[in-house]
Amino acid sequence: MKYVLNGIGMLFGLVFVFMLITVGVVSAANKPKRENEQILPGKGDTPKKAIIIYQPGITKVTTRIAQQLAAGLNEGGYEVTLNHPGKYLSTDLSGYDLIILGSPTYAGQLAKALTKYMEQVCPKLAKAPDKAPRLVLFATGGLEQTEEFDRLTHILSGLNVVRKIKFTPKKNEQIAYDLGIELAKND
Ligand SMILES: Cc1cc2nc3c(=O)[nH]c(=O)nc-3n(C[C@H](O)[C@H](O)[C@H](O)COP(=O)(O)O)c2cc1C
């Protein structure tokens, strides 16, 4: 009986530690990160402009996807700015022809740092008098389900969303690079 009770106690302890680690990981993943602007110069005198705003995750999968998207767009002639979502970023993105927003999925949601930024930026874009820039939303995750996008329908309404894509271990960096090339071609 003593062994059974000890076993149950250890099991609860392990579950508790696992939950603590999960909560810690999710809350760290949601927080804004430091500014990290990178600009890849485009081709020609007046290249089209894209901005990729992505929340870097813990294992750098999202960072690598963002960089491959940027490399594909840049190969297609675009000037590409990369940065992380945060207060330091302008909420006026009307100067860009293409806006790409991305984040890892943790516990079925995109990072709060990104969704908070989207709440500020997207209504302004929807009201812009000129032609709305194309917008791409991407997530990275281990699962094929895309409920994280469904949660953002209200924020994205009225915008020119041309693609919502989730990169899973099966859909990887080469696909991100090819998507960058494709987006640069179909402008
Ligand atoms: C605690 C935790 C929760 C996760 N929740 C989800 C989830 O709900 N859906 C999903 O598709 N992937 C989920 N994942 C997998 C991550 O989204 C995936 O590994 C992601 O590509 C990591 O990106 P990063 O390296 O940029 O952090 C989870 C991973 C961890 C560690």
Side-chain angles (χ1 to χ4, degrees):
M1 188 63 184
K2 197 177 153 195
Y3 291 119
V4 174
L5 287 176
N6 276 346
I8 292 172
M10 273 178 68
L11 192 67
F12 271 106
L14 282 174
V15 170
F16 183 68
V17 169
F18 177 76
M19 280 169 65
L20 272 187
I21 292 172
T22 304
V23 169
V25 166
V26 172
S27 97
N30 274 313
K31 285 193 181 130
K33 307 291 183 227
R34 270 180 301 159
E35 178 169 22
N36 184 23
E37 187 179 77
Q38 280 175 272
I39 299 179
L40 311 180
K43 291 177 187 154
D45 292 338
T46 51
K48 294 237 173 193
K49 286 180 163 195
I51 186 162
I52 303 178
I53 298 168
Y54 68 97
Q55 173 75 347
I58 292 155
T59 50
K60 301 287 170 248
V61 172
T62 313
T63 301
R64 287 199 294 272
I65 293 293
Q67 282 168 349
Q68 288 304 313
L69 279 164
L73 279 165
N74 193 234
E75 180 61 31
Y78 267 68
E79 176 192 297
V80 188
T81 302
L82 292 123
N83 212 338
H84 302 155
K87 283 184 181 157
Y88 42 76
L89 272 188
S90 167
T91 53
D92 177 10
L93 299 182
S94 56
Y96 293 95
D97 304 287
L98 174 67
I99 298 163
I100 302 184
L101 303 165
S103 157
T105 304
Y106 284 107
Q109 301 194 33
L110 298 187
K112 287 212 167 51
L114 182 74
T115 54
K116 272 189 184 163
Y117 179 71
M118 286 172 68
E119 278 163 6
Q120 296 171 320
V121 166
C122 293
K124 285 191 187 177
L125 285 173
K127 282 187 202 143
D130 303 328
K131 189 174 164 260
R134 290 183 298 159
L135 198 143
V136 172
L137 183 62
F138 81 87
T140 65
L143 310 173
E144 295 289 338
Q145 290 105 296
T146 56
E147 78 262 13
E148 56 273 59
F149 295 146
D150 303 338
R151 295 178 203 279
L152 298 173
T153 310
H154 64 292
I155 302 182
L156 296 171
S157 83
L159 297 177
N160 183 15
V161 182
V162 292
R163 193 73 68 94
K164 290 182 204 165
I165 180 166
K166 184 163 183 184
F167 293 95
T168 57
K170 281 187 215 155
K171 246 192 236 152
N172 54 24
E173 294 170 39
Q174 181 63 47
I175 291 177
Y177 180 81
D178 292 344
L179 176 59
I181 297 266
E182 183 195 321
L183 288 165
K185 269 191 198 148
N186 306 329
D187 55 6

